[in-house]
Amino acid sequence: MTSLTAKDKQTVKAFWGLVSNHADEIGKDALSRLITVYPQTKIYFSHWKDLSPNSEPVKKHGITVMTAVGDAVSKIDDLKGGLLTLSELHAFTLRVDPVNFKLLSQNIMVVMAILFPADFPPDVHVAMDTFPAALALALSEKYR
Amino acid sequence: MGRWALAQSPVGVTLQSDCIKAPHHHAVIIPVVSSTGTEAKMSLNSIDKERIRILWSKISKDSDAIGAEALGRLFAAHPQTKTYFTHFKDFTYNSPQVKEHGKLVMKGIKQAYENIDDMVTGLLDLSEKHAFTLRVDPSNFKLLSSCFHVVLSKRYPNDYTDEAHLSFDKFLANVALALSEKYR
């Protein structure tokens, strides 16, 4: 796992510029995939009435997540500092096991590659894998 | 370590209504962390560094033996790690090759300790070595960390308190992260 280089950050920002209009769709698809492919993640959402892919709660939560991702892109130069409150939220209130960050990152990547096949060559792939990893790291900051 | 369960949101955070209703962790008081702690790597604070300093002062004189034992355990408990050492004749902790390599590993750990405030920079050369020459898969760093915990708790049962364990685990997780820096 490596720090984001200047080139990575540029690539992430450029790619995000391309896809941010579809953020809601990406969020919904990624979350739906997450609960389908990794059903153990459903435990964090046992309070939702409908846990099926593409349901209303999933859609709504996908928007929440992708809004935060978009915000993280703007804070890409200091993710740790910028995501402190979100880290506290995940550590103390939501209590999400950090292994799940990897799973969601993977699903977001898969959805992005499906929706934007022409814009996802290997170098974009690397940046869009390194960035979520850095994001996950920043989110894990307050756990201990 | 950690804070007790919150009845309200942390300052400055607005919780979505669906987030508050998470009933699944009522019994859990401390934040949830994966068992080896190395997927989520948290920065070392001053309390960690002090604990690590104290622990290091106690263990550094035995560092060669600790390195050899940790490696010996690694090969015994996780045989797949032997693939990186096809030139070794004997994988037990008191074989000359394992002893020598244990020394080398501890030299690296010492380097990390001496660069504790900026491990990424301080371990750049080692990261390059592991990435380009040795080509060790970073998942193995976790395995060696767990062997260190076993060896240290066996050897220093009174000094390896929960807090020391916690801080040292964070330390090793940060070492692993710094070592992974040059992989891509």
Side-chain angles (χ1 to χ4, degrees), chain A residues 29-63:
Chain A
D29 284 353
L31 257 187
S32 300
R33 246 173 216 270
L34 180 71
I35 58 184
T36 309
V37 178
Y38 301 103
Q40 67 269 29
T41 55
K42 287 197 266 191
I43 194 178
Y44 294 104
F45 306 106
S46 48
H47 53 292
W48 286 352
K49 291 194 168 45
D50 186 354
L51 263 171
S52 55
N54 300 307
S55 66
E56 270 313 303
V58 170
K59 247 194 239 175
K60 184 163 161 260
H61 200 66
I63 297 174

Side-chain angles (χ1 to χ4, degrees), chain B residues 4-183:
Chain B
W4 302 119
L6 296 177
Q8 68 231 7
S9 62
V11 171
V13 176
T14 313
L15 293 181
Q16 306 266 333
S17 57
D18 48 65
C19 294
I20 304 176
K21 292 178 212 135
H24 56 280
H25 277 146
H26 275 160
V28 175
I29 308 277
I30 54 176
V32 178
V33 174
S34 55
S35 57
T36 57
T38 46
E39 280 93 356
K41 296 169 187 76
M42 305 110 194
S43 312
L44 295 166
N45 57 38
S46 51
I47 298 173
D48 291 317
K49 291 181 190 176
E50 181 56 21
R51 290 190 193 134
I52 294 162
R53 191 193 61 77
I54 294 171
L55 186 68
W56 188 260
S57 68
K58 304 214 162 82
I59 70 179
S60 52
K61 58 182 176 3
D62 300 319
S63 102
D64 291 353
I66 291 169
E69 265 190 59
L71 268 185
R73 274 185 185 269
L74 180 71
F75 297 139
H78 309 283
Q80 69 273 25
T81 55
K82 291 193 278 190
T83 54
Y84 292 101
F85 302 95
T86 47
H87 53 293
F88 276 17
K89 292 186 173 42
D90 179 347
F91 287 94
T92 55
Y93 75 96
N94 48 19
S95 84
Q97 284 172 310
V98 172
K99 271 198 206 160
E100 195 196 326
H101 201 71
K103 248 195 210 169
L104 207 61
V105 170
M106 291 311 284
K107 188 157 159 262
I109 301 281
K110 181 161 181 245
Q111 192 178 327
Y113 173 72
E114 283 162 359
N115 287 280
I116 202 168
D117 291 316
D118 185 2
M119 275 198 236
V120 169
T121 310
L123 295 176
L124 263 179
D125 58 332
L126 278 178
S127 180
E128 282 206 15
K129 187 173 201 179
H130 284 74
F132 296 112
T133 313
L134 306 176
R135 307 224 185 110
V136 179
D137 190 310
S139 56
N140 293 293
F141 300 155
K142 269 199 269 275
L143 301 179
L144 183 57
S145 295
S146 67
C147 291
F148 273 118
H149 290 312
V150 172
V151 172
L152 289 176
S153 54
K154 272 194 76 186
R155 282 179 156 259
Y156 309 95
N158 297 321
D159 299 303
Y160 213 61
T161 59
D162 314 14
E163 287 91 7
H165 178 168
L166 165 65
S167 296
F168 201 67
D169 190 49
K170 284 173 77 170
F171 170 70
L172 289 177
N174 278 281
V175 174
L177 190 65
L179 274 183
S180 313
E181 180 66 20
K182 295 301 239 166
Y183 275 68

Side-chain angles (χ1 to χ4, degrees), chain A residues 62-76:
Chain A
I63 297 174
T64 308
V65 170
M66 290 314 282
T67 308
V69 171
D71 186 50
V73 174
S74 67
K75 295 180 173 152
I76 203 168

